[in-house]
Amino acid sequence: MENGNGDSAQNGRRLARSDSHDSQTASEFINSQLQLEADAREALPYAFDHCTQPLGPLRQTLFSCLTCNPPPKSTSDPYTSAGVCYSCSIACHGEHELVELFNKRNFTCDCGTTRLPATSPCTLRLDPVTGIKGPVHSQPAAEGNTYNQNFKNRFCGCEELYDPHTEKGTMFQCFGLARESEGGCGEDWWHPECIIGHGRTRLRAKKTEPLPESTDESLGNGSEPTPNQDEEEEDAREEELPPGFPAEDDFETFVCYKCVDANPWIKRYASSTGFLPPVLKSEEKTSNDRPELGDDPSGNETTSTAVTHQESIHDAPLDKTDPGTKTITTPPDNSLKRRAEDNEDSHDPTQSKKAKTGTNQNCYYESLPEPGDELVSLFLKEDFRDHFCRCANCYPNLRKHPQLLEEEESYEPPLSEEEENGRGSVGTGSLLDRGEAALNNVDRVRAIEGVMVYNHLKDKVKSFLQPFAESGQAVGAEDIKAYFEKLRGDEQGIKSAAMAGSGSGNEDNRREQSANMAHLMIRACLLSAALLAPVTVALGSTSYNGLAKTPPMGWDNWNAYGCDIDADVLLETAEKMVDFGLRDLGYKYVILDDCWQNMQRSPNGSLVANATKFPDGIKAVSDQIHDMGLMFGMYSSAGMYTCAQYPASLGHETIDAQTFADWGIDYLKYDNCYNQGQEGTSKLSFDRYNTMSQALNKTGRPIHFGMCNWGKDYPWNWAQTMANSWRMSGDVYDSFDRPDDRCPCTTYDCELPGFHCSIMNIIGKVASIVDKGQPGAWNDLDALEVGNGGMTDDEYKAHFSMWAMIKSPLIMGTNIPKMTASTYSILANPAVIAISQDSAGTPAVRVWNRKAELDEYDQGSISLWVMALSGGDYAIALLNAGAKELQLNATLEEIFIDKATTAGGATRGPLPSSKGWDIYDLWANRMDDTMASSILQGNATIMGSMMNTTNSTMLYNATETPYADGVKQNNTALLGVKTSSVDAMGTIQATVARHGIAMYRLRAQAGASLSKRDEL
């Protein structure tokens, strides 16, 4: 909280100066305020408009509301604990007494549940019955939440009440290996003196010790120490760590003696590499001194207030990685540090991870000395995870505690738009942006007050501002003041507030707060003015969301099921994607296409799922899919209706985007049917799709935005700035090259995209615009037809290969539970997928396209496609769309034609064609039908052996090792089979089946020299 001499007083004076103007526009008023407040700290950097409950269990910062759930007088009395997320602590409990608990793992927000009174509902959640956002109360609480004494505002083994006004020094959070019910502490915060068993009585006694005499020369003349000097000396004494406690810089986190005692196996690691010597708990502690609620250690009655172990989360960015936040930096204890280093030297520094993950015969754990029976706490170094034994006997102990195996991710609320874009507060952004910045640049309490004022008054303010908006007349500061005077019946109060800020003391402080409240009310009014202003979207304005750095992979139900879709189909498919190893190959999205909706929206205007198809709602399906390690996508259209004539999102973008976000979707396929004629120019289409793009971004949830406008109005020229992918053609159908009058165009510049477009039709159209695709924004050739029965095996191989080469999203469209072995072995080819997911993000280009013997549909061509890969490799595809099997040739000069000259025509050198290359066949390791059938029939043994073997040639686990890393490690499943080499200036030859493909990775030969031709 700021004192009376801080920025608040300045704000009051600024308000008085602003009031001296007769009139000004809303923009001018905000600019004048923000220019004077440019140095104000931004106390609310995070958005607080979404409860985290829809996201399920997270490691997140929590608050306990003591107003809603007052703790009992005695710790033995029954008590219902509850924790609320960051957003709810502000929006729903902003006026309450809160305890900040910081990070707790696997916790779902309790706001709006039976663990809190119905009189304190959640205003941020959607009511599961009505679909309306807030107020929600009396909902079932998450069953997986666990609670400890922190929720009662008690901390540490001493069980003291935390009072931020009297508590000083550092507290440390235990890594939390056991719940309270299991004998542990449940991620409690500990005083260092209590960890070693000294108890708080020693600290209280230490507080009564006289301070050492000051040596400050300023006190030599009998002058009194200044208040600041007293505070500094007192703080220094409080910060001193007790003897025997490690220096803070020596450890990353610690496990308290309670959690160690509940997991005695971990005690053996004390003093080993990655761990400090054990810290014994002595018997000096007297825990019976524990104060009850309302008493401090001296017996004086106190009031429990918010915990401030560190600078509040509302005032500073969250730390995602520190498992135990340290609030005060203390000088390292050099003697302790030396002892820790000496202890490390006593162990073999060459002990390898391989030994620690070896067989039982080589169990690293068994080589450690047996621990004693004492109660000890363990202090873990930064690299402690690298030194656990992971043999068959030891690994089960680690598996129970995922935080021991890998670093945890903590949920961080989305930054406000101003923070996220890194823009300043002054003179930047739209009028709405600047109005929001005005609220962000004030103290937390005053900011919350301002937001509440805005929420209460915005509707009334809109009616006041409407005449100004319609007439174009400037809104004067005096107009706003007069309106609020009338609204509040408090003319004298505002006039007095406007004059505040020139004095000091309590009376001036009260005037200052009144002035600032009026100031915030005016800001709220101006923010409403911004909401009334028309928004013009400039062509090319960016809304890039950082997703889809490589083309997305997943499954969409439309090609296989159409409208015959329900929750059971989605969940069965998701389960099979996991069981078959498809998830770990990278197929992460499960996308629900059209026909999921009711025919009518809810009374509040939101979309509603068909209750017969989705009896538990969309959110339940989304949660289950997320629980499988997959991501969930949905469908709507930028029109009045979807293509199946269900309600769509044109004109409802904001509410629909929020509904999708609240349901937890990760991907939106956004179609183009019934668009009310809002197409025909790039600007019309851009604005229509950009409205949804911006609405999705404002929800704060990362959602892949997949435009499905069939290539209308040339989206490859403008969609990169507001979408992650765009359909560049009409709908695909299950045919290799059969012409269809419903897909009349054969080139990209098409006015009638149609549908029923064959594979070769789409490939022919995209060839001219492949360069428009880039990381984060891809040409979408439509979902894969592999496995749907309309093509031959060779045709499906060519189809899948070309989608990968061109960097289209790889969205499966077949019946996954019933897929055949041949279908599986195509979709699960990691060598081809690695081309799609290559980090360079460069789509293949068609080097040449030549006529071939015509097939039964009078179609026939052959073509060479080339893609530059990361690390200097290349991929090539020889596509035979002719009537018969052919031998196709590609010279290195043709393959590297783009390297031969610069844009200006000057020769480059040396050329890739001037050295030799090794050739790897990307289909040579294709899984045979016997192996594929075994996997589809549930043979987990075979699946596990292939997925977990480094040198597997058939399957790959990209969840465990990303494709980029696997290629660097020369994983054979990704490189394919080396079949031959080609000398400098040579030719690659391949026999390619009718309607088939030959696909290769080229890797430069080690030590290859330039050819004679390039040396001349």
Side-chain angles (χ1 to χ4, degrees):
M1 296 291 292
E2 296 178 359
N3 58 35
N5 298 320
D7 288 340
S8 299
Q10 296 177 14
N11 290 340
R13 289 192 292 273
R14 291 168 189 158
L15 179 62
R17 286 197 295 270
S18 297
D19 290 344
S20 65
H21 296 286
D22 291 333
S23 66
Q24 58 186 157
T25 66
S27 177
E28 291 169 343
F29 183 82
I30 289 180
N31 277 329
S32 67
Q33 296 299 302
L34 294 179
Q35 187 61 52
L36 291 170
E37 292 182 358
D39 57 346
R41 69 182 178 90
E42 298 190 358
L44 285 174
Y46 298 101
F48 47 89
D49 51 358
H50 292 95
C51 173
T52 61
Q53 187 274 341
L55 302 179
L58 303 168
R59 186 173 192 264
Q60 60 178 313
T61 293
L62 298 176
F63 297 78
S64 177
C65 182
L66 302 184
T67 302
C68 293
N69 288 3
K73 288 289 184 180
S74 171
T75 57
S76 61
D77 293 341
Y79 179 68
T80 301
S81 298
V84 300
C85 66
Y86 166 83
S87 293
C88 291
S89 75
I90 298 174
C92 310
H93 303 267
E95 298 176 326
H96 297 176
E97 184 181 1
L98 299 174
V99 181
E100 190 167 4
L101 308 179
F102 297 94
N103 281 329
K104 299 284 186 184
R105 66 175 60 94
N106 298 329
F107 199 97
T108 303
C109 180
D110 283 324
C111 195
T113 72
T114 53
R115 300 193 75 91
L116 289 162
T119 53
S120 293
C122 181
T123 60
L124 302 180
R125 291 171 56 182
L126 287 180
D127 189 301
V129 177
T130 65
I132 300 173
K133 190 172 185 177
V136 175
H137 61 82
S138 305
Q139 294 297 308
E143 296 181 357
N145 288 349
T146 60
Y147 307 87
N148 66 358
Q149 64 172 352
N150 297 166
F151 292 82
K152 306 175 190 176
N153 196 29
R154 292 190 183 274
F155 293 83
C156 186
C158 65
E159 301 183 18
E160 277 194 350
L161 289 168
Y162 188 90
D163 184 352
H165 301 294
T166 60
E167 186 75 37
K168 294 185 178 180
T170 305
M171 296 184 75
F172 298 89
Q173 188 177 26
C174 174
F175 209 32
L177 298 188
R179 305 171 180 176
E180 281 188 348
S181 60
E182 299 167 336
C185 74
E187 298 182 276
D188 204 349
W189 288 82
W190 290 75
H191 304 109
E193 59 270 19
C194 294
I195 295 172
I196 63 175
H198 286 177
R200 300 292 278 167
T201 53
R202 177 180 179 276
L203 182 66
R204 293 171 199 148
K206 190 174 181 63
K207 289 181 181 180
T208 64
E209 296 176 5
L211 289 170
E213 293 186 6
S214 174
T215 59
D216 195 315
E217 294 180 0
S218 66
L219 302 182
N221 298 325
S223 60
E224 294 294 326
T226 66
N228 286 343
Q229 286 174 320
D230 284 343
E231 289 179 9
E232 290 173 2
E233 292 174 351
E234 179 68 18
D235 288 344
R237 184 167 63 182
E238 294 288 354
E239 293 171 15
E240 181 182 349
L241 292 172
F245 193 88
E248 290 187 50
D249 291 339
D250 288 348
F251 65 93
E252 173 74 12
T253 186
F254 93 103
V255 182
C256 74
Y257 56 81
K258 289 184 178 182
C259 289
V260 171
D261 198 44
N263 295 272
W265 61 269
I266 199 171
K267 186 190 293 189
R268 198 163 180 172
Y269 284 101
S271 297
S272 68
T273 306
F275 299 81
L276 295 182
V279 173
L280 274 64
K281 174 183 177 291
S282 70
E283 296 303 322
E284 186 180 342
K285 142 178 166 8
T286 55
S287 60
N288 293 331
D289 297 336
R290 180 179 76 242
E292 296 297 342
L293 181 66
D295 297 326
D296 66 12
S298 62
N300 298 323
E301 185 173 341
T302 63
T303 301
S304 173
T305 54
V307 175
T308 56
H309 304 302
Q310 65 173 16
E311 185 178 359
S312 171
I313 184 177
H314 303 297
D315 301 330
L318 296 171
D319 184 348
K320 293 195 223 179
T321 60
D322 190 358
T325 303
K326 306 181 182 73
T327 64
I328 301 175
T329 303
T330 59
D333 184 331
N334 291 330
S335 63
L336 283 173
K337 188 170 185 179
R338 282 196 297 273
R339 286 198 296 272
E341 292 170 347
D342 291 342
N343 185 274
E344 283 184 68
D345 293 339
S346 67
H347 292 274
D348 181 5
T350 64
Q351 177 71 47
S352 68
K353 292 183 188 179
K354 184 175 181 181
K356 295 173 188 179
T357 59
T359 63
N360 296 341
Q361 288 76 14
N362 192 24
C363 177
Y364 168 69
Y365 182 81
E366 293 296 335
S367 69
L368 301 176
E370 288 282 356
D373 296 330
E374 303 91 347
L375 285 178
V376 300
S377 298
L378 289 188
F379 288 78
L380 288 58
K381 297 184 180 181
E382 186 175 1
D383 63 344
F384 70 91
R385 294 182 179 89
D386 296 339
H387 303 289
F388 282 118
C389 179
R390 304 188 184 214
C391 72
N393 285 342
C394 296
Y395 188 74
N397 288 328
L398 298 174
R399 189 170 53 195
K400 297 175 185 176
H401 309 285
Q403 66 268 34
L404 295 178
L405 292 171
E406 58 183 352
E407 189 172 337
E408 298 176 284
E409 290 188 7
S410 297
Y411 171 79
E412 181 176 292
L415 292 170
S416 65
E417 188 170 342
E418 287 289 321
E419 286 286 332
E420 193 171 31
N421 295 336
R423 299 196 300 266
S425 300
V426 181
T428 60
S430 67
L431 186 61
L432 177 58
D433 294 334
R434 285 173 272 171
E436 291 175 333
L439 292 178
N440 278 339
N441 286 342
V442 294
D443 177 82
R444 172 181 183 265
V445 174
R446 288 183 289 123
I448 293 174
E449 290 173 347
V451 172
M452 290 180 174
V453 168
Y454 167 66
N455 286 335
H456 286 305
L457 299 181
K458 62 182 178 182
D459 291 334
K460 295 180 180 180
V461 170
K462 282 185 179 181
S463 62
F464 158 67
L465 290 169
Q466 193 67 49
F468 293 95
E470 292 174 351
S471 65
Q473 180 183 351
V475 183
E478 292 298 328
D479 296 322
I480 297 172
K481 280 182 58 185
Y483 173 72
F484 277 113
E485 288 168 359
K486 179 180 178 182
L487 191 65
R488 296 177 59 211
D490 186 13
E491 180 173 355
Q492 185 58 42
I494 286 188
K495 288 182 178 179
S496 299
M499 299 170 61
S502 59
S504 60
N506 292 335
E507 182 177 351
D508 291 331
N509 236 1
R510 286 192 294 270
R511 288 203 304 269
E512 170 201 319
Q513 293 297 325
S514 298
N516 280 303
M517 195 61 196
H519 192 49
L520 288 171
M521 292 169 74
I522 293 175
R523 284 176 170 172
C525 183
L526 296 176
L527 189 59
S528 293
L531 293 174
L532 285 175
V535 177
T536 301
V537 180
L539 187 61
S541 62
T542 181
S543 65
Y544 177 60
N545 57 12
L547 300 177
K549 294 299 180 64
T550 58
M553 298 173 62
W555 174 83
D556 182 290
N557 68 270
W558 187 257
N559 287 356
Y561 294 92
C563 279
D564 189 15
I565 187 69
D566 57 25
D568 291 339
V569 170
L570 287 179
L571 294 176
E572 182 187 14
T573 299
E575 290 172 359
K576 294 303 182 183
M577 288 172 66
V578 176
D579 293 344
F580 297 162
L582 295 169
R583 177 197 63 186
D584 291 328
L585 279 165
Y587 294 101
K588 293 295 179 69
Y589 290 103
V590 177
I591 303 169
L592 170 61
D593 214 290
D594 205 350
C595 309
W596 58 266
Q597 310 95 317
N598 271 347
M599 283 297 184
Q600 300 294 328
R601 289 177 173 266
S602 71
N604 77 324
S606 62
L607 291 168
V608 179
N610 184 302
T612 302
K613 295 180 177 182
F614 301 94
D616 297 322
I618 297 295
K619 183 62 171 58
V621 174
S622 174
D623 287 346
Q624 292 179 70
I625 288 173
H626 287 145
D627 288 344
M628 298 180 207
L630 294 163
M631 306 180 83
F632 180 56
M634 291 190 71
Y635 166 97
S636 189
S637 179
M640 179 174 290
Y641 307 109
T642 69
C643 296
Q645 300 183 346
Y646 288 87
S649 296
L650 184 63
H652 301 271
E653 291 86 356
T654 299
I655 189 171
D656 288 358
Q658 189 58 59
T659 298
F660 294 142
D662 291 340
W663 284 342
I665 79 161
D666 308 292
Y667 189 116
L668 179 64
K669 175 182 175 182
Y670 202 47
D671 219 328
N672 194 34
C673 289
Y674 301 100
N675 59 31
Q676 303 294 91
Q678 295 184 38
E679 66 176 18
T681 69
S682 294
K683 184 65 167 62
L684 281 173
S685 287
F686 177 92
D687 287 350
R688 182 162 49 95
Y689 280 90
N690 190 55
T691 303
M692 177 56 84
S693 175
Q694 297 297 326
L696 292 172
N697 286 350
K698 287 180 181 178
T699 67
R701 182 175 180 84
I703 299 174
H704 177 110
F705 186 40
M707 284 176 43
C708 183
N709 81 328
W710 322 318
K712 292 286 288 183
D713 296 330
Y714 315 113
W716 45 84
N717 288 329
W718 44 263
Q720 294 92 338
T721 61
M722 40 76 68
N724 299 115
S725 58
W726 57 87
R727 282 276 301 282
M728 44 64 57
S729 168
D731 291 355
V732 69
Y733 90 117
D734 195 9
S735 171
F736 185 74
D737 68 348
R738 176 185 175 275
D740 192 301
D741 287 344
R742 291 166 291 185
C743 181
C745 298
T746 57
T747 60
Y748 73 93
D749 50 346
C750 179
E751 292 299 322
L752 185 59
F755 62 105
H756 265 231
C757 300
S758 71
I759 301 304
M760 288 305 300
N761 175 279
I762 293 174
I763 291 174
K765 286 187 286 194
V766 78
S768 301
I769 57 170
V770 288
D771 61 308
K772 300 295 185 177
Q774 62 190 42
W778 306 103
N779 281 302
D780 182 355
L781 280 58
D782 206 355
L784 293 161
E785 290 283 2
V786 178
N788 288 336
M791 289 185 263
T792 67
D793 188 75
D794 285 325
E795 289 170 341
Y796 280 140
K797 279 176 53 182
H799 168 29
F800 184 67
S801 299
M802 290 307 301
W803 261 229
M805 288 286 289
I806 296 169
K807 295 282 189 179
S808 173
L810 296 182
I811 306 298
M812 300 179 292
T814 193
N815 185 324
I816 300 295
K818 295 182 179 179
M819 67 164 46
T820 65
S822 61
T823 296
Y824 178 76
S825 63
I826 292 174
L827 295 172
N829 183 339
V832 174
I833 296 174
I835 301 300
S836 163
Q837 299 299 296
D838 185 79
S839 58
T842 306
V845 297
R846 189 169 66 182
V847 175
W848 48 254
N849 184 45
R850 300 166 182 165
K851 293 182 180 179
E853 183 177 334
L854 302 181
D855 63 13
E856 64 270 30
Y857 300 121
D858 291 330
Q859 306 294 309
S861 66
I862 55 174
S863 55
L864 168 66
W865 296 75
V866 178
M867 173 197 292
L869 301 172
S870 58
D873 290 358
Y874 284 82
I876 69 167
L878 288 163
L879 178 61
N880 177 15
K884 63 182 181 181
E885 179 182 283
L886 294 171
Q887 179 174 298
L888 302 183
N889 301 325
T891 69
L892 291 185
E893 286 184 294
E894 292 171 332
I895 292 170
F896 300 117
I897 186 67
D898 283 350
K899 300 293 183 181
T901 59
T902 63
T907 59
R908 298 179 188 267
L911 301 178
S913 56
S914 63
K915 56 186 175 181
W917 293 80
D918 292 331
I919 302 172
Y920 294 81
D921 189 335
L922 300 182
W923 282 103
N925 273 337
R926 179 183 178 182
M927 188 184 306
D928 60 58
D929 284 354
T930 301
M931 185 70 72
S933 296
S934 181
I935 292 173
L936 296 177
Q937 291 165 12
N939 192 325
T941 301
I942 293 176
M943 171 66 73
S945 64
M946 289 192 301
M947 295 291 279
N948 296 321
T949 301
T950 302
N951 292 320
S952 169
T953 60
M954 297 183 183
L955 269 181
Y956 186 75
N957 190 334
T959 302
E960 182 178 279
T961 307
Y963 283 101
D965 294 338
V967 171
K968 290 178 183 177
Q969 296 166 10
N970 296 324
N971 188 291
T972 54
L974 305 185
L975 297 185
V977 176
K978 181 181 174 182
T979 55
S980 61
S981 300
V982 59
D983 293 334
M985 309 305 300
T987 298
I988 297 175
Q989 298 180 337
T991 301
V992 186
R994 173 189 187 273
H995 292 184
I997 198 167
M999 190 175 182
Y1000 303 108
R1001 178 186 286 266
L1002 305 185
R1003 176 163 286 188
Q1005 294 176 346
S1009 60
L1010 300 181
S1011 70
K1012 197 69 174 178
R1013 172 176 173 176
D1014 281 288
E1015 292 173 348
L1016 294 175

